[in-house]
Amino acid sequence: PQREQKQHALPNLSDFFDRTKPWVLVPDGSYNGFFDWVPEKLRHGPWSIVAVLYLPLIVITITAGVLWAYIRPQDDWSWKDESNGMYPETGSLHWCYNTFIFIWISFLNYQLFADFGMRPWTYYTMWSWTALWIRHGLSALSPLFSHSQILKLCLESLRFPCLATASITFLVWNLVLLPGGLFLVRTKGAKKKEIILKAAFSWKLVQLHIFNICYAIINCVFTSHVRLLNY
C-alpha cells in the first residue's frame, strides 16, 4: 500500500478548498491506513460550503484570540492581581471535585478509546467533553501554579466554550435527537425502541449527554472565580 500511495501525484493546493474532493486527498480517503479510524462517510465529499468555511474559521478565531490576549496592554488583564482566591485552594472541597472529575473523565476517555479507538473524537460531543476534561485538569493544577498567567489564560479561554458546548450537547441530544429517534421507530416495534433506550441510557452516554452539563456548570460557575464581563 505504501508503494501505491507514492505513485499518486501530490494534491494541488486548490484541492484543499475543493469541496467535491474527499476529506483526505488520497484514494479511499486514507493514507497508509492512518485515517481508517475515521468513519468512511466522513472521508468522502461533497462538502457543504458551511463545513468548508467552519474549519478555517476555528483556526482564525483561535489565532485572533491569542494575538489579542498577548498584544493588548498587560494592565488590562483583570485577573493579573487575583491570584489569591481565584481558584480553590489545594485540599478544599472544590479542588477535590475538580481533581476527582478529571480522573473520572480520564477513566471514561480510556474506556471509550479502548472500545472504539479515536472514532468518538470525530463527533462534536467528544470535542465538548474533551474541553471539559482539560478545564477540570487545569483547575486542579491552578493552586500549584497560581502565578502562571498562561494557565489562567487557558482556563478563562475555556470557560465560555465549555459552558456553551455542554449546553448545546445536552439540549440537542435530550430535546431533539433522542426524542426524534424514538419518534422515527415508533412504528417499528418495541424492540427497536428498547435498543435505542438501552444505548441512550448506558452509563457512558449518560455521562456524555446528561452529566456533562452538571460538570460544566459546577466547574465553570461554582468552583471558578467570578469575573466581571468588562471586555
Side-chain angles (χ1 to χ4, degrees):
Q2 187 172 1
R3 185 176 298 174
E4 292 178 1
Q5 292 287 354
K6 291 181 179 179
Q7 291 176 354
H8 293 280
L10 293 174
N12 296 319
L13 181 62
S14 60
D15 291 340
F16 290 94
F17 299 93
D18 186 348
R19 60 192 185 95
T20 64
K21 298 286 185 178
W23 183 68
V24 182
L25 297 174
V26 290
D28 196 35
S30 186
Y31 181 76
N32 290 336
F34 294 143
F35 294 95
D36 287 350
W37 56 270
V38 179
E40 187 175 355
K41 64 182 179 181
L42 298 181
R43 288 191 255 135
H44 297 275
W47 300 110
S48 163
I49 188 63
V50 176
V52 174
L53 295 175
Y54 179 70
L55 293 176
L57 247 163
I58 293 177
V59 177
I60 292 171
T61 302
I62 293 175
T63 304
V66 171
L67 289 175
W68 174 75
Y70 280 97
I71 292 175
R72 62 192 284 212
Q74 294 295 308
D75 291 339
D76 289 344
W77 286 36
S78 58
W79 61 77
K80 184 177 181 181
D81 298 317
E82 295 177 0
S83 297
N84 296 325
M86 182 173 180
Y87 288 97
E89 295 182 358
T90 306
S92 66
L93 180 62
H94 287 170
W95 180 84
C96 290
Y97 160 80
N98 286 325
T99 304
F100 174 77
I101 296 301
F102 172 74
I103 295 172
W104 171 247
I105 295 178
S106 299
F107 170 72
L108 180 57
N109 287 346
Y110 170 77
Q111 292 289 320
L112 290 169
F113 178 77
D115 291 342
F116 307 106
M118 289 299 297
R119 181 170 297 188
W121 278 267
T122 63
Y123 299 109
Y124 178 89
T125 297
M126 287 304 299
W127 295 6
S128 172
W129 183 254
T130 301
L132 276 176
W133 173 58
I134 294 172
R135 197 173 196 280
H136 277 83
L138 293 178
S139 297
L141 289 174
S142 61
L144 306 177
F145 302 94
S146 58
H147 297 290
S148 172
Q149 296 299 323
I150 295 178
L151 185 142
K152 293 175 185 177
L153 175 62
C154 292
L155 276 166
E156 291 306 309
S157 298
L158 284 171
R159 191 198 292 244
F160 177 75
C162 283
L163 283 170
T165 57
S167 300
I168 292 170
T169 299
F170 177 84
L171 293 173
V172 171
W173 175 262
N174 292 289
L175 299 184
V176 180
L177 296 180
L178 180 56
L182 294 174
F183 177 78
L184 291 175
V185 301
R186 70 190 187 284
T187 60
K188 297 183 179 180
K191 187 66 177 178
K192 288 283 187 181
K193 182 178 179 181
E194 181 183 348
I195 293 173
I196 291 179
L197 289 174
K198 184 178 180 180
F201 289 99
S202 63
W203 73 274
K204 292 176 184 176
L205 291 191
V206 166
Q207 289 291 316
L208 294 174
H209 298 130
I210 298 177
F211 278 85
N212 68 321
I213 191 66
C214 302
Y215 298 152
I217 292 174
I218 295 174
N219 176 259
C220 299
V221 178
F222 293 107
T223 71
S224 297
H225 180 74
V226 176
R227 295 183 60 231
L228 297 177
L229 298 176
N230 52 359
Y231 292 101

